[in-house]
Amino acid sequence: MASPVTPTPVLKDELDIVIPTIRNLDFLEMWRPFFQPYHLIIVQDGDPSKVIKVPHGFDYELYNRNDINRILGPKASCISFKDSACRCFGYMVSKKKYIFTIDDDCFVAKDPSGKDINALEQHIKNLLTPSTPFFFNTLYDPYREGTDFVRGYPFSLREGVPTAVSHGLWLNIPDYDAPTQLVKPLERNTRFVDAVLTVPKGTLFPMCGMNLAFDRELIGPAMYFGLMGDGQPIGRYDDMWAGWCMKVICDHLGLGVKTGLPYIWHSKASNPFVNLRKEYKGIYWQEELIPFFQAASLPKECTTVQSCYKELSKQVKAKLGKVDDYFNNLADAMLTWIEAWDELNPSAQLPNGK
Ligand SMILES: O=c1ccn([C@@H]2O[C@H](COP(=O)(O)OP(=O)(O)O[C@H]3O[C@@H](CO)[C@H](O)[C@H]3O)[C@@H](O)[C@H]2O)c(=O)[nH]1
Ligand SMILES: [Mn+2]
């Protein structure tokens, strides 16, 4: 009797898992059934002389700050230090089509039936099925088993568009900003919402980097987690910045962004007072940043992510440089990021989708 064939994990050789870390990666033990077949890219932040322990049996490459400086030279200035934003270096060095990034205090959550949630599997499903940014389907994800487009949904739009980003959520500790954390220290997210939604075209959203996957070939160069941490006036806006730039470019290029399932279990609340110090400038700057991104428009000549991103950098410098000099530096860092990306990924400069 032939032994049952173990199915090859989906996208096993086409996806890298990127983890930013300052600690040992024991959390991987809980993810072993889901993550072990995949290659990990560990971005070690902070003191490069610290040894990060990785549980046995995982296939990984690890980069610390010395590696980043050696590989990028002066262009390493665009990669944040002492902030989870450093994770974007892993996106740049990867050679795979897909990326899943997760924090090391995120664990396997259970669905309402008590079953362990394979977050990676759900992200892959989200990325491999189209998005519907042009017309909202009231029965949520129409490509999901057991549901469909509802009456009145234009047939001309039912093909959908390629999905560039899959944004997952969190049970237990929600990704609240510091003021909310301070006024609601005991609040936990216990609500499991069984839905995946496309973020409509023209709508921005707060992208959290904790449980996130994307198609690197479709949108990789836009996933720059902005300058944060050491020497910077702001923190905890790295993923937000990437999300706003990414969404403007996805809308321009006709790509989709989904949010909802999968959930992970976020186990540790970072210190709200430290977070307040990191966030406070961002909390009032974002009242100018959001109108900027909402009004941002890219010329039709911008047909690649790189050209869109360079144009966005120009607009950041022109329109946000007066908000604070930080945005002049950030606009420059955006260009450095693209130069570094193209240096490490020379063949990936083809117009979108070619
Ligand atoms: O200096 C640092 C600090 C941490 N890391 C690694 O980054 C992630 C997140 O760290 P942590 O869980 O401590 O912080 P959170 O506040 O929960 O992070 C979330 O909020 C946003 C911060 O920008 C972001 O969307 C989430 O990451 C862990 O893996 C740490 O090991 C680091 O690399 N450098
Ligand atoms: Mn955390």
Side-chain angles (χ1 to χ4, degrees):
M1 162 94 128
S3 57
V5 176
T6 315
T8 308
V10 179
L11 301 183
K12 173 178 171 303
D13 300 319
E14 296 173 81
L15 180 141
D16 279 338
I17 298 174
V18 175
I19 305 165
T21 195
I22 50 174
R23 49 182 76 101
N24 293 331
L25 295 178
D26 306 330
F27 90 115
L28 285 172
E29 278 308 344
M30 194 174 189
W31 288 104
R32 187 181 290 276
F34 304 138
F35 288 5
Q36 185 151 17
Y38 295 88
H39 180 66
L40 311 181
I41 296 179
I42 299 161
V43 183
Q44 176 184 344
D45 194 18
D47 177 3
S49 67
K50 177 176 173 174
V51 175
I52 297 288
K53 291 198 184 83
V54 182
H56 180 71
F58 285 93
D59 170 53
Y60 70 92
E61 55 199 278
L62 183 145
Y63 297 94
N64 63 28
R65 194 67 206 187
N66 295 336
D67 299 316
I68 294 171
N69 294 338
R70 172 174 48 76
I71 293 166
L72 295 185
K75 293 191 177 70
S77 61
C78 75
I79 303 297
S80 298
F81 184 56
K82 295 190 181 172
D83 188 282
S84 64
C86 65
R87 74 175 85 215
C88 62
F89 180 74
Y91 312 160
M92 186 192 284
V93 291
S94 169
K95 296 296 169 233
K96 304 288 177 55
K97 178 167 172 54
Y98 301 98
I99 295 286
F100 168 52
T101 188
I102 184 169
D103 288 3
D104 60 20
D105 65 342
C106 296
F107 293 86
V108 177
K110 291 188 181 301
D111 69 18
S113 73
K115 183 169 172 267
D116 282 353
I117 297 170
N118 182 345
L120 183 51
E121 183 185 57
Q122 181 62 50
H123 276 302
I124 291 171
K125 280 181 189 165
N126 292 349
L127 291 171
L128 294 184
T129 53
S131 296
T132 56
F134 305 124
F135 202 85
F136 186 77
N137 189 54
T138 47
L139 212 45
Y140 311 116
D141 181 357
Y143 304 102
R144 194 172 170 187
E145 196 66 32
T147 183
D148 213 315
F149 291 99
V150 295
R151 179 169 54 87
Y153 200 100
F155 282 84
S156 59
L157 293 175
R158 296 196 183 195
E159 192 180 338
V161 301
T163 299
V165 173
S166 171
H167 179 262
L169 297 173
W170 344 270
L171 291 174
N172 194 38
I173 308 287
D175 186 21
Y176 283 165
D177 50 51
T180 309
Q181 261 186 295
L182 285 165
V183 297
K184 300 172 115 178
L186 303 180
E187 186 149 295
R188 296 293 179 267
N189 182 28
T190 59
R191 196 198 332 247
F192 178 97
V193 176
D194 185 6
V196 177
L197 296 174
T198 294
V199 182
K201 176 175 178 157
T203 301
L204 297 171
F205 75 109
M207 184 176 82
C208 170
M210 224 189 292
N211 170 21
L212 182 71
F214 60 91
D215 183 322
R216 196 174 156 276
E217 289 178 3
L218 283 181
I219 201 65
M223 296 299 275
Y224 173 50
F225 278 35
L227 272 186
M228 303 282 146
D230 201 37
Q232 302 302 329
I234 184 175
R236 290 170 56 83
Y237 272 84
D238 49 313
D239 40 7
M240 301 298 146
W241 183 262
W244 297 330
C245 292
M246 172 277 293
K247 188 63 172 58
V248 166
I249 292 171
C250 279
D251 287 350
H252 175 73
L253 295 178
L255 300 172
V257 177
K258 291 178 182 174
T259 186
L261 300 179
Y263 284 89
I264 51 86
W265 180 269
H266 186 206
S267 67
K268 186 179 64 69
S270 39
N271 183 304
F273 295 101
V274 171
N275 289 346
L276 186 57
R277 182 163 42 80
K278 292 179 176 179
E279 288 173 17
Y280 80 94
K281 285 192 174 178
I283 292 174
Y284 64 78
W285 280 347
Q286 74 183 22
E287 298 306 331
E288 301 209 46
L289 302 183
I290 299 304
F292 162 77
F293 282 105
Q294 284 170 332
S297 117
L298 299 169
K300 64 181 189 322
E301 294 73 29
C302 293
T303 57
T304 65
V305 177
Q306 285 90 331
S307 57
C308 290
Y309 206 75
K310 288 176 193 170
E311 172 60 27
L312 211 43
S313 160
K314 214 187 295 178
Q315 294 183 27
V316 166
K317 181 158 272 195
K319 296 178 182 170
L320 296 179
K322 52 181 173 291
V323 171
D324 190 281
D325 196 40
Y326 168 73
F327 294 103
N328 289 314
N329 300 334
L330 184 52
D332 291 340
M334 290 168 72
L335 295 181
T336 305
W337 159 263
I338 289 293
E339 285 161 17
W341 180 285
D342 287 344
E343 247 173 54
L344 268 62
N345 301 279
S347 62
Q349 299 172 49
L350 301 176
N352 177 43
K354 296 186 178 54

